[in-house]
């Protein structure tokens, strides 16, 4: 550990740290552009110059490039360094327009800050500035190339880090251009990151254009609610509108970047049809009244019909606090334990993760650092996009990624892919076939192997087999960890709170004994399989109560509807796929955004003490009111920890933290699942989430609409040929859930004997994670 | 291969050239090293590299058009815009400058009635400024079709232009 | 003056190119036979070190020393790359050599590869040298047919393949790491060093990059021995001969093979046949566009790496460009800076934008719009660009600016005071 002196201050840093990093630790900000923590140092901008007074190589040096040495003496504020940095500032500004007042980056411009920090203030160059024509990069990113200072961060992010191949750098000398071959939408699922890394106003968030100045935005550290990884985000809002999301930093999870679903999927908060007022059937009512009715009626029904009469349904997208409070309310009411997820099989799989695998879970950081990752039954870009970027880092540092999945999986890096049907995949996990042996051998020899498993495809049975595999592949030197993918931001949390064995939701509803169903931020019609059965079961209810912030079909049917707050409007905690407690802070107060209220025009001119649409309360607040509990969040957490010691990490957790792992659980008795026999002539049905619009939040986000896909069914070219079908044919897909008429597409990389569909707005009734099931595909009979 | 079929009608490369490049690319561990070879071959056949040429190169090498464009636009001897039958690279570096290079450049411009970067109306000549062509001992000079013409005077320029025109007519 | 032994230009005759038969007739491939049959790679490397051959590509790094850094024993593919980019104004010696006698380079590549134990060689050649590239391709075919390239060369068990790779313009490709990127089909920005090419070069493998003339010298060293090679130079520290490409205001602007250490006066007067039109010698670039000017006071300086460094210039590539007394040195410098600014790769700020700034300052001064402040700014830019860019391009670009400010500051002042160029009528 070298000790060096920077500006007369001594510091000891780990071997390999650069002088720039050492200075940063001392609180000395050396101006820089091309260096970025995640992208590393390339020495291009030359802004970070310092003077090495004592050391193996003396003189003006780029602090991002030189490693700290023992006994080194460095100055950052000497005449040579400051003059040089001033010149770099001047050079970078030669061509830069002086349009800060109208620039979209105004107020959060690193160039502005660094120019001032470097001391450059007066323009001396009076030659011609070079100018560019801009490109249309699609709906997400706006380009204004004249402001470019050639730090190359965008390409390094887009291409090198995230693996995009349609945006790069062209030209040379003082005419380099950062863009696409031709106008067109950026193809990468991580395109928005170039907005965050661009230090000036070249690449900006198009969806946020002309909305706010940075300093007028309310921001807070938050957790992305669009998948189970729990990436750090910083939502920014104003005028009750969530105007943008940028990525936060969490070294243990996403690092510095997020995916486009997380960034541009924020429209649900401002959805024009978002229900913002409580309602008893058709009648709008106040919140107090709604809660009073809920309380009175729930009690009444229990009194009258016993504890079965009221069923409380929690959710995998509501906060840990709300689910726990729901359990408390059930106790108080005297009804049966709530069901915390509408989707039974997914919930059970999440429980395997939360209990049986909890002592062997890897973090995303560990995935990035692995030398061999086996991805079994997971399509990262669809289920957990930032995992795809993490896998790219594995390959970039010389590691290997092997994917066993029936789908034609794509990744932004090189990888080996074996297309196995879901059943064959289960076999493979128990070392079936020569492949199984071979892959095991590779894993055995790896330094830090990791098994990624998609809970949707593997199910309870597959995850248990994955665990066995991980046990067999671990040794005294190193473990073989598991990185499971779950379906929702708080799937783990809901599973952790749940009783291991529960009747499933439908069975209970179908008994007819349930008179009132209370759905807390959950719509089984969209989020669970067998929506038809559920619809029928609903008719047996006397009363359907829905608490939600989305305009779901269920909320429309509700007898009593109570509006809740979105995660960005409340404080709370999610537990991500690897059991990490991640808390988030509210950014906005709920209310009708002006852009929605007046159709983008002038705000209302009437005087009022309350802003329209400000009724919604957070789910946990609502439950606290029902419980007549006014504990603070801290007190609430204490009670939760007392109830569930595994949640000890909640104490003292703040939204700026990287998050704390829940404590390990004792493994449970393993039950073997009987897999349904495959009827002759059928195909295995695979329902995969679409990359965009499968999770409900992105489905209700208008910004993502350009990315929504249409419905289709995919088959292996050979299976199609055997049935006399061709790409583009209209076919009938017969499933247990129902029949669908869909166009067919062929793909040589889809596992044989399978049919693949994507769950999205265009095909909402087939929901992923329902377990092994079979289907048939046949030509549509024409009725000519 | 499908997309190669689509690009064929443009006639940027002969069929056997495409086949050879594909074959060669398959043999190489790093097919990218053929980018310049392919671009130069297209330019030789077509005079310049149109967008379709970038796309064809990308298809042969398994790259995206952007990845080829990043390289193509770096080099000044790859033309991404149409040029005349004879692009004339006029050296404007120091040795030619000492020997009247500016005068020769002006004479070309005057005789052809075009500025640097322009093409004569008959599509014959394009004038391009170039850095040192390696003919410093025979300054001032120009390069046309890989031939260096040095020690130029107005007389020699006249003859050169006439010869080139004749060459096309023949 | 005609006693300089001709090694590299031995077979050179106007308008002719020598191929296998002609090359063999004057002793061609004897060095190769000797190396493969009588010497070990280790001995060859020692020999080159003892001969004190310094790189002819501009930087003058001792080739033998460079070769000792090379991990010849490392398993896996290793590369030898010959740099024939030669795009620095005033430099045309490699082109002349390849026009005359391409087999010299081919033989040099094979024996150097043997010495370094590299199995694959590339000759990277600039766009404008297509004729030379054709000659090289033919020479490679001939050498392959003769069994000098391919598998198990002369029964030694050593395999070697040699490729000729054409470029498509741009001076930066001469910088060795940019060249490697270019060869790989990547954007030819220079690479960060370390790691040096010897550890991670072409395709991430150990690689040596050497200039054409450097490699062409190797067979002669094998034939003549280290002592003989050292004695060829006129200066005690120098070694060998050097190709001098003359240009500018001289009566004879040809390329000559002369001993290292020959005084400038002799080059100008005996070989250049004096300044054109009987004008007076004012200044010259001694070794290509990136070397600070020499003036009349330097006429007796020996043209060698160390002697030129001692007077604040560089031997570079020994492309001598002479300027007569009617030449405006501000205009010369502007011409050079325009070249460098245009050829910047665009990677680092001092080069991409700093040279733009310098070009603008010189344009202001040259056009008579300069002010004393511009002169101060020019000095300041020199201080802040030299040695502070990512690669040596910008540093080289500032060589002439340094020369201008050292020797011809008064000319700048004259421009500023007169409000026009004092040399223009
Ligand atoms: C901008 C720039 C251009 C260069 N151009 C050439 C060149 O055209 N030919 C060459 O041999 N070396 C050139 N060099 C030097 C090479 O980087 C490298 O030092 C040389 O090829 C090594 O060979 P040598 O040791 O045999 O001289 C250039 C260097 C720079 C910085
Ligand atoms: S000095 Fe900088 S911009 Fe110039 S060529 Fe080198 S790396 Fe490129
Ligand atoms: S941050 Fe060090 S050179 Fe750019």
């Amino acid at each position: 550990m070298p000790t060096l002196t920077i500006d007369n201050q001594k510091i000891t840093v780990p071997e390999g740290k650069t002088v720039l990093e050492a200075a940063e630790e001392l609180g000395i900000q050396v101006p820089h552009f091309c260096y970025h923590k995640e992208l590393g140092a390339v020495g291009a901008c030359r802004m970070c110059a310092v003077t090495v007074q004592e050391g193996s190589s003396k003189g003006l040096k780029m602090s991002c490039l030189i490693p700290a040495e023992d006994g080194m003496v460095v100055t950052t504020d000497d005449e040579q360094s400051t003059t040089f940095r001033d010149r770099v500032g001047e050079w970078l500004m030669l061509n830069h327009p002086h349009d800060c007042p109208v620039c979209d980056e105004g107020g959060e411009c690193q160039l502005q800050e660094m120019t001032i920090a470097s001391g450059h203030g007066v323009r001396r160059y009076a030659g011609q500035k070079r100018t560019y024509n801009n490109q249309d990069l699609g709906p997400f990113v706006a380009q204004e190339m004249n402001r470019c200072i050639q730090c190359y961060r965008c390409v390094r992010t887009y291409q090198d880090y995230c693996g995009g191949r349609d945006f790069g750098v062209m030209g040379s000398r003082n005419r380099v251009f950062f863009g696409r071959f031709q106008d067109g939408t950026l193809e990468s699922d991580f395109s928005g990151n170039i907005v965050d890394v661009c230090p000036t106003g070249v690449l900006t968030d198009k969806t946020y254009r002309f909305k706010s100045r940075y300093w007028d935005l309310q921001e807070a550290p938050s957790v992305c609610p669009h998948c189970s990884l729990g990436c750090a985000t910083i939502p920014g809002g104003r005028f009750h509108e969530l105007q943008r999301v940028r990525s936060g930093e969490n070294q243990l999870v996403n690092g510095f970047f997020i995916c486009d679903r997380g960034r541009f999927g924020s429209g649900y908060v401002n959805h024009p049809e978002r229900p913002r007022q409580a309602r008893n059937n058709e009648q709008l009512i106040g919140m107090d009244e709604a809660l009073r009715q809920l309380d009175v009626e729930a009690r009444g029904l229990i009194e009258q019909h016993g504890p079965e009469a009221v069923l409380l349904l929690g959710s995998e997208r509501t906060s840990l606090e709300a689910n726990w409070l729901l359990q408390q309310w059930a106790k108080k009411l005297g009804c049966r334990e709530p069901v915390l997820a509408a989707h039974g099989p997914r919930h059970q799989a999440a429980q395997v993760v939360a209990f049986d695998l909890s002592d062997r879970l890897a973090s995303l950081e560990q995935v990035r650092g692995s030398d061999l990752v086996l991805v079994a039954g997971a399509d990262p870009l669809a289920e957990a996009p930032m995992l795809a970027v993490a896998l790219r880092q594995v390959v970039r540092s010389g590691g290997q990624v092997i994917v066993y999945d029936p789908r034609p999986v794509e990744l932004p890096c090189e990888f080996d892919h074996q297309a196995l049907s879901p059943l064959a995949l289960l076999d493979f996990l128990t070392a079936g076939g020569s492949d199984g042996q071979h892959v095991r051998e590779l894993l055995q020899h790896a330094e830090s192997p990791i098994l990624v498993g998609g809970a949707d495809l593997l199910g309870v049975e597959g995850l248990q087999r994955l665990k066995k595999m991980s046990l067999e592949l671990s040794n005294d030197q190193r473990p073989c960890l598991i990185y499971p993918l779950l379906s929702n931001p708080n799937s783990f949390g809901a599973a952790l709170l749940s009783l291991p064995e529960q009747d499933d939701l439908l069975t209970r509803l179908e008994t007819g004994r349930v008179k009132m169903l209370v759905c807390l931020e959950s719509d089984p019609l969209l989020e669970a399989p067998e929506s038809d059965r559920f619809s029928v079961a609903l008719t047996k209810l006397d009363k359907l109560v829905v608490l939600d912030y989305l305009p779901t079909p269920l909320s429309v049917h509700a007898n009593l509807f109570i509006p809740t707050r979105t995660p960005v409007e409340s404080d709370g905690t999610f537990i991500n796929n690897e059991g990490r407690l991640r808390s988030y802070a509210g950014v906005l107060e709920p209310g009708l955004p002006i852009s929605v209220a007046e159709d983008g025009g002038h705000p209302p001119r009437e005087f009022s003490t309350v802003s329209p649409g400000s009724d919604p309360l957070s789910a946990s607040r609502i439950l606290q009111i029902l419980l007549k509990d006014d504990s603070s969040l801290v007190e609430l957490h204490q009670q939760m920890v007392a109830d569930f010691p595994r949640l000890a990490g909640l104490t003292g957790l703040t939204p700026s933290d990287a998050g704390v792992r829940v404590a390990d659980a004792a493994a449970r008795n393993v039950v073997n699942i009987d897999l349904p026999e495959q009827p002759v002539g059928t195909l295995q049905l695979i329902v995969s989430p679409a990359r965009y619009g499968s999770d409900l939040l992105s489905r209700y986000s208008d910004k993502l609409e350009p990315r929504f896909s249409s419905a289709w069914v995919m088959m292996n070219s050979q299976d199609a040929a055997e049935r006399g079908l061709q790409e583009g044919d209209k076919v009938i897909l017969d499933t247990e859930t129902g029949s669908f008429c869909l166009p067919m597409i062929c793909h040589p990389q889809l596992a044989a004997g399978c049919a693949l569909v994507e769950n999205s707005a265009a095909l909402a009734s087939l929901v992923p994670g329902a377990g092994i099931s079979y289907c048939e595909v046949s030509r549509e009979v024409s009725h000519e | 291969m499908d997309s190669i079929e689509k690009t064929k009608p443009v006639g940027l490369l002969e069929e056997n050239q495409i086949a050879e490049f594909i074959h060669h690319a398959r043999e190489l561990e790093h097919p990218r090293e053929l980018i310049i070879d392919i671009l130069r071959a297209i330019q030789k056949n077509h005079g310049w590299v149109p967008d379709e040429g970038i796309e064809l190169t990308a298809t042969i090498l398994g790259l995206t058009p952007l990845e080829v464009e990043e390289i193509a636009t770096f080099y000044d001897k790859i033309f991404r815009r149409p040029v005349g039958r004879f692009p004339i690279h006029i050296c404007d570096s120091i040795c030619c400058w000492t020997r009247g290079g500016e005068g020769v450049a002006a004479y070309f411009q005057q005789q052809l009635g075009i500025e640097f970067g322009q093409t004569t109306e008959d599509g014959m000549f394009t004038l391009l400024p170039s850095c040192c062509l390696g003919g410093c001992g025979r300054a001032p000079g120009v390069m046309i079709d890989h031939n260096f013409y040095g020690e130029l005077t107005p007389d020699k320029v006249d003859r050169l232009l006439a010869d080139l025109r004749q060459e096309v007519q023949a | 003056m005609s006693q300089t032994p001709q090694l590299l230009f031995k077979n050179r005759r106007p308008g002719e190119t020598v191929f296998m038969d002609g090359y063999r007739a004057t002793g061609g491939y004897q060095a190769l036979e000797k190396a493969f049959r009588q010497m070990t790679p280790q001995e060859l490397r020692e020999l080159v070190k003892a001969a004190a051959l310094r790189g002819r590509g501009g930087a003058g790094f001792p080739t033998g020393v460079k070769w000792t850094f090379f991990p010849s024993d490392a398993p896996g593919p290793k590369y030898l790359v010959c740099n024939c980019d030669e795009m620095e104004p005033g430099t045309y010696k490699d082109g002349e050599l390849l026009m005359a006698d391409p087999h010299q380079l081919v033989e040099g590549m094979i024996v150097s590869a043997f010495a370094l134990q590299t199995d694959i060689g590339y000759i990277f050649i600039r766009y404008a040298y297509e004729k030379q590239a054709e000659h090289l391709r033919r020479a490679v075919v001939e050498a392959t047919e003769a069994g000098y390239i391919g598998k198990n060369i002369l029964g030694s068990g050593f395999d070697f393949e040699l490729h000729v790779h054409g470029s498509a313009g741009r001076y930066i490709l001469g910088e060795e790491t940019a060249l490697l990127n270019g060869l790989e089909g990547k954007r030819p920005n220079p690479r960060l060093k370390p790691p040096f090419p010897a550890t991670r070069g072409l395709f991430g493998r150990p690689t040596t990059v050497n200039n054409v003339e450097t490699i062409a010298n190797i067979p002669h060293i094998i034939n003549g021995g280290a002592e003989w090679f050292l004695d060829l130079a006129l200066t005690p520290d120098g070694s060998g001969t050097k190709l001098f490409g003359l240009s500018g205001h001289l009566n004879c602007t040809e390329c000559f093979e002369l001993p290292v250490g020959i005084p400038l006066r002799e080059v100008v007067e005996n070989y250049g046949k004096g300044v054109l039109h009987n004008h007076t010698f004012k200044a010259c670039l001694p070794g290509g566009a990136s070397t600070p000017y020499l003036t009349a006071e330097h006429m007796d300086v020996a043209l060698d790496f160390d002697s030129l460094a001692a007077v604040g210039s560089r031997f570079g590539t020994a492309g001598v460009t002479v300027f007569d007394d009617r030449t405006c040195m501000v205009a010369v410098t502007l011409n050079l800076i325009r070249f460098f600014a245009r050829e910047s790769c665009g990677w680092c700020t001092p080069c991409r934008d700093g040279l733009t700034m310098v070009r603008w300052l010189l344009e202001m001064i040259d056009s008579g719009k300069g002010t004393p402040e511009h002169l101060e700014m020019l000095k300041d830019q020199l201080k802040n660009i030299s040695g502070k860019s990512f690669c040596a391009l910008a540093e080289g670009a500032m060589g002439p600016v340094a020369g201008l400010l050292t020797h011809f500051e008064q000319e700048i002042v004259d421009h500023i005071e007169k409000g026009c160029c004092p040399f223009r009528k």
Side-chain angles (χ1 to χ4, degrees), chain A residues 356-396:
Chain A
D356 308 322
L357 305 183
S358 66
D359 63 340
R360 51 192 56 256
L361 295 175
S363 68
L364 198 54
E365 186 193 34
Q366 282 169 313
V367 173
R368 285 191 291 270
S370 166
D371 61 334
L372 179 56
V373 181
L374 170 70
V375 179
D379 180 355
L381 285 174
E383 295 168 60
M386 281 309 288
L387 169 63
V389 175
L391 293 175
R392 177 169 172 82
Q393 309 321 309
V394 170
V395 175
R396 282 180 84 203

Side-chain angles (χ1 to χ4, degrees), chain B residues 134, chain C residues 84 86 91-100 129 132 212:
Chain C
C84 185
E86 192 161 74
T91 307
Y92 61 100
K93 56 169 184 100
D94 296 340
E96 295 282 314
L97 188 149
L98 294 177
M99 273 318 268
Y129 286 174
Q132 288 90 329
V212 173

Side-chain angles (χ1 to χ4, degrees), chain A residues 20 31-35 42-48 62-65:
Chain A
L20 185 121
H32 58 264
F33 280 115
C34 64
Y35 167 78
V42 292
C45 75
R46 308 261 125 187
M47 184 53 118
C48 66
M62 299 309 129
S63 61
C64 70
L65 295 180

Side-chain angles (χ1 to χ4, degrees), chain C residues 55-57 66 83 85-86 171 174-176 209-211 214 392:
Chain C
R56 303 306 199 217
K66 180 148 134 188
N83 187 342
D85 193 60
E86 192 161 74
Y171 169 60
E175 199 283 337
E176 58 182 7
V209 183
N210 274 120
N211 172 258
T214 311

Side-chain angles (χ1 to χ4, degrees), chain C residues 43-57 59-68 210 213-215 217-218 220-222 224-242 260-261 304-306 315:
Chain C
E43 282 166 357
L44 281 166
R45 297 199 295 268
E46 291 300 328
L47 174 68
V48 172
K49 199 167 165 187
L53 170 66
R54 292 180 68 166
R56 303 306 199 217
F61 195 83
T63 307
V65 176
K66 180 148 134 188
W67 286 13
T68 56
N210 274 120
E213 188 185 345
T214 311
I215 289 176
N217 265 304
I218 307 292
H220 300 291
I221 294 175
I222 295 172
E227 282 305 312
W228 165 81
F229 192 75
L230 283 163
D231 285 347
L232 290 171
L234 299 182
T235 37
D237 299 334
S239 62
T241 61
K242 180 77 196 76
V260 164
D304 185 4
F305 294 100
D306 297 333
F315 194 25

Side-chain angles (χ1 to χ4, degrees), chain A residues 256-300:
Chain A
F256 280 82
F257 303 127
I258 56 171
C259 71
D260 284 356
R261 194 204 295 178
R263 184 183 303 269
F264 301 111
S266 62
Y268 67 95
V269 177
N270 320 317
H271 197 286
E273 278 146 44
R274 174 173 166 192
R276 294 169 190 274
Q277 242 181 307
R279 189 163 45 69
N280 182 333
N281 292 309
E282 302 296 297
Q283 197 191 354
L284 295 177
I285 53 177
M287 280 299 264
D288 293 347
E289 174 57 18
L291 296 187
R292 195 193 59 79
Q293 287 183 9
L294 172 59
D295 193 43
V296 169
E297 290 186 29
R299 275 170 209 284

Side-chain angles (χ1 to χ4, degrees), chain C residues 172 190 344-348 351 389-391 393-394:
Chain C
I172 188 62
S344 166
C345 77
W347 177 247
C348 76
C351 179
S389 53
F390 187 85
C391 81
L393 187 147

